[in-house]
Amino acid sequence: MDDNPVIQFRCTTVIDGRENTATMSLKRSVWNSSSEQWRSEYLNSCRERYQAWLRQDAGIELTERQAADVSVTVVGETADGSPPPQLVTATLFGGPLDGSTAPVEIDDDPWTAIISDGCAYPGGRSVYAPDSAGRWVWQRDVPWHAM
């Protein structure tokens, strides 16, 4: 029997110096069996539901910048027992996803490879990484088999 059947996602933003937080959950089996693209879309839907909750229950309408700063973290441990990733929404610069936003992990070696219709390789990924100013900038496209 699974001792931890759900994964909880905590959405947080700071408005006027005050932290606002909401927690959502999903069955661990659904998360673990999902594709990278589905997980990305799910995290984006968490942000959208969080913004709708703020609007409805707290009467707070986030600016575009505040919405981009919403962080999503996994509460507790991941399936393999490792610490949860810190996820933030980043605006992407350059490449096929220029101007789009995507959830990205903040870690020791930050970069993200995202499925993109505009990728030079069908089924491949567009790779973005932060520059010295912290902007997530397109690096290159890579074919699926190179991942």
Side-chain angles (χ1 to χ4, degrees):
M1 183 165 136
D2 189 354
D3 292 336
N4 195 0
V6 298
I7 296 176
Q8 292 185 330
F9 301 88
R10 182 177 296 137
C11 297
T12 307
T13 193
V14 177
I15 302 169
D16 297 328
R18 185 171 161 223
E19 187 175 278
N20 294 275
T21 302
T23 303
M24 299 168 210
S25 35
L26 177 71
K27 287 185 177 184
R28 184 176 296 276
S29 59
V30 172
W31 181 261
N32 290 345
S33 65
S34 299
S35 70
E36 177 185 333
Q37 182 174 359
W38 187 92
R39 289 180 186 189
S40 177
E41 290 169 1
Y42 180 80
L43 293 174
N44 282 332
S45 76
C46 284
R47 286 181 182 82
E48 291 167 7
R49 287 181 287 154
Y50 173 65
Q51 290 176 58
W53 171 79
L54 283 173
R55 197 171 28 255
Q56 180 179 355
D57 291 357
I60 298 171
E61 185 70 41
L62 296 181
T63 65
E64 191 173 308
R65 178 66 189 155
Q66 288 170 326
D69 288 342
V70 170
S71 68
V72 179
T73 55
V74 177
V75 180
E77 295 180 344
T78 58
D80 63 2
S82 62
Q86 172 69 35
L87 301 171
V88 297
T89 301
T91 300
L92 306 175
F93 294 89
L97 297 172
D98 186 45
S100 300
T101 59
V104 296
E105 252 183 68
I106 304 300
D107 58 18
D108 293 338
D109 185 23
W111 64 275
T112 189
I114 303 169
I115 295 171
S116 163
D117 288 338
C119 180
Y121 306 98
R125 306 288 191 269
S126 295
V127 178
Y128 287 80
D131 64 10
S132 60
R135 293 180 345 143
W136 284 76
V137 179
W138 179 75
Q139 305 296 309
R140 65 188 174 282
D141 287 340
V142 295
W144 172 250
H145 69 285
M147 294 298 299

